[in-house]
Every structure is written in C-alpha cells, then in structure tokens.
C-alpha cells in the first residue's frame, strides 16, 4: 500500500493543485472546472447512460481494429522476416507510411469508407499495424538460426517452424509492439471520433465541449485516460504471464 501511494503521489498532488486553482479563483472555473465538479458530471453521464453507450461503441471499434492489426501484423512481420520476396514487396510501403502522422490517414479513411464505424476501424487498424509489423519483423529476424536448424533437423515443416519456434522466440518483441499499438489505438480512435462525430467517447467529448458543458467534457477525457491506463496495466500482466516461461 505504501509503495502504491508513493508511486501515484504525483497524481494526487496534481489533482490537489487542479482543485485549488479554480476554487481560489486563480483560473476561470468555466475553462478549468475543479475535479469535484468533474466527478459530479461523470456520475451524471454514468446515470444517464451516455457514458456507457458511447464507451461501449468506442470499445467495440478499438477491439475490432486491434484484433485485425495483431492478426495481419504478426503474419506480415513473420513473412517479411522469413521470405525475401515479402520483404521486398512490403518493406518500402511500410517505410513510406511510417513517418506519416497516423491521424492524417483519418480523412482518407472517411473518403473511402464514409462516416460509419468502418472508417474508424480502418483508421485505428492502419495506425496499430505498423508498430506490430515492425516489432514482429525484427523479433523474427533475431531468432537464433540454430533453433530453426534444430527444428528442421527433426522434420519440422516450415509452418511448424514458424508456429513452434519463430513466433514463441519473437514473442517479447511482438508483445512490445502490441503494447505500443494499444496506446496508438486510443489516440487514433478518439481523433477519428472527433472528426466523424456520430457516436463514441470522442463524439461525446466534442458534443459536450461545443455545448459548453466543460465538467462533462473533462469527465469524458479523464475516462479515456483511465481506460488507456487500465488497458496498459492489464496488458502488462498478460505479457508477464505469456513470458513466464522465459524466466
């Protein structure tokens, strides 16, 4: 408990400063509502069902995009690491896309897929795909060749070598790429919903801000922040369990 308090003490101090500034009149509380008002607004959004409905919509889009990016990213990264033709085809494309701000792809997805959920899934998918492909590629290339030779010497087929040797050995890099993709996914999801503006947490933030309901807007923003933090902590636990065999 003591370690927990020490670890998150800076957040508690920041929250105290945030509460004090508008209460003392040092900042306009209309522009920066204190956490006490934000908490009340959060409860109101929760009781009204707006937070749950929009949050569920965002969660569905995020999970769909992440599952798709993980599946395609691992397949593409391993293929590039094992087959020179795949690397020759896809590596120039990935290098060209990597420096591009991922949020810049959102308007293109809107043009291609319209204003529905498909454009949001596509935007998050493309942004999450790159770190997973890159991490998988370098992880698969770093597998010791002796492990591959050993599996081949006992008659393992190429698919079995990839499944039973390369992917497990590259798992630390793959999981690190997925962890980065989760953070990127939250950013792109909210960015897409701010632009598309029909449903989702990003839409809720935009709607409350335009209506001048700033405590509610901050409540929605903090909900996203908390969800991202919890998702990262949960995935760290998954990583530890998945890599327990390496210790």
């Amino acid at each position: 408990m003591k370690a927990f308090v020490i670890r998150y003490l800076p957040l508690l101090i920041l929250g105290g400063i945030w509460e004090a500034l508008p209460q003392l009149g040092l900042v306009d509380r209309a522009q920066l509502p204190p956490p006490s008002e934000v908490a009340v607004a959060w409860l109101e959004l929760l009781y009204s069902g707006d937070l749950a409905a929009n949050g569920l919509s965002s969660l569905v889009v995020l999970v769909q995009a992440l599952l798709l990016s993980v599946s395609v990213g691992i397949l593409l990264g391993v293929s590039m690491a094992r087959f020179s033709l795949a690397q020759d085809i896809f590596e120039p494309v990935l290098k060209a896309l990597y420096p591009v701000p991922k949020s810049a792809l959102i308007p293109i997805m809107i043009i291609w897929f319209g204003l529905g959920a498909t454009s949001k899934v596509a935007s998050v998918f493309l942004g999450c795909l790159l770190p997973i492909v890159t991490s998988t590629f370098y992880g698969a290339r770093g597998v010791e060749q002796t492990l591959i030779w050993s599996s081949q010497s006992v008659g393992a087929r190429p698919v079995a070598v990839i499944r039973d040797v390369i992917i497990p050995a590259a798992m630390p890099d793959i999981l690190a790429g997925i962890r980065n993709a989760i953070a990127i996914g939250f950013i792109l999801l909210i960015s897409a919903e701010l632009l598309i503006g029909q449903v989702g947490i990003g839409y809720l933030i935009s709607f409350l801000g335009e209506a001048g309901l700033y405590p509610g807007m901050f409540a929605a923003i903090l909900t996203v922040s908390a969800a991202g933090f919890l998702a990262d902590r949960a995935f760290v636990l998954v990583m530890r369990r998945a890599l327990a065999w390496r210790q």
Side-chain angles (χ1 to χ4, degrees):
M1 183 62 182
K2 181 179 179 181
F4 178 85
V5 173
I6 294 175
R7 186 176 207 180
Y8 296 104
L9 184 60
L11 291 178
L12 295 175
I13 295 174
L14 181 61
I17 295 173
W18 179 6
E19 179 72 29
L21 288 176
Q23 295 287 10
L24 296 175
L26 299 177
V27 298
D28 186 357
R29 66 192 305 137
Q31 298 180 355
L32 184 65
S36 55
E37 293 184 8
V38 173
V40 172
W42 187 86
L43 290 174
E44 291 175 351
L45 289 173
L46 183 64
Y47 292 147
S48 68
D50 291 336
L51 191 64
N54 288 283
L56 180 60
S57 174
S58 296
L59 180 62
V60 170
V61 170
L62 182 62
V63 170
Q64 289 177 341
L66 282 174
L67 289 176
L68 188 60
S69 62
V70 168
S71 303
V72 176
I74 293 176
L75 177 63
L76 191 56
V78 172
S79 299
M80 290 172 57
R82 295 297 299 161
F83 307 109
S84 58
L85 179 60
Q87 182 178 356
D88 292 340
I89 293 173
F90 294 108
E91 188 174 29
V93 178
L94 295 175
K95 285 184 176 179
L97 289 176
Y98 208 90
V100 177
K102 307 308 176 287
S103 56
L105 300 175
I106 297 175
I108 299 176
M109 297 301 103
I110 294 175
I111 294 173
W112 288 354
F113 300 109
L115 298 176
T118 303
S119 59
K120 293 189 285 187
V121 172
S123 300
V124 178
F125 162 72
L126 286 177
C128 295
L129 181 67
L130 296 178
I132 296 175
V133 171
T134 303
S135 299
T136 303
F137 171 71
Y138 286 110
R141 286 194 64 177
V143 176
E144 294 184 16
Q145 191 64 36
T146 53
L147 295 176
I148 299 175
W149 289 335
S150 298
S151 63
Q152 292 173 336
S153 67
V154 296
R157 296 181 179 274
V159 174
V161 172
I162 293 174
R163 183 190 63 221
D164 300 330
V165 178
I166 295 177
I167 290 181
M171 191 57 66
D173 296 280
I174 295 174
L175 293 176
I178 295 174
R179 185 183 181 187
N180 290 332
I182 291 174
I184 294 173
F186 272 92
I187 297 171
L188 289 176
L189 174 64
I190 301 305
S191 300
E193 289 178 343
L194 286 171
L195 286 175
I196 296 172
Q198 290 182 330
V199 68
I201 290 291
Y203 162 74
L204 185 62
I205 293 171
S206 176
F207 174 81
L208 293 171
E210 291 177 358
L213 302 173
Y214 298 124
M217 183 188 72
F218 275 93
I221 292 172
L222 291 178
T223 300
V224 175
S225 178
F229 174 78
L230 293 175
D232 180 75
R233 293 295 89 195
F235 191 75
V236 168
L237 294 177
V238 172
M239 291 178 64
R240 289 174 180 172
R241 291 182 64 88
L243 302 177
W245 60 273
R246 294 175 58 89
Q247 297 179 3

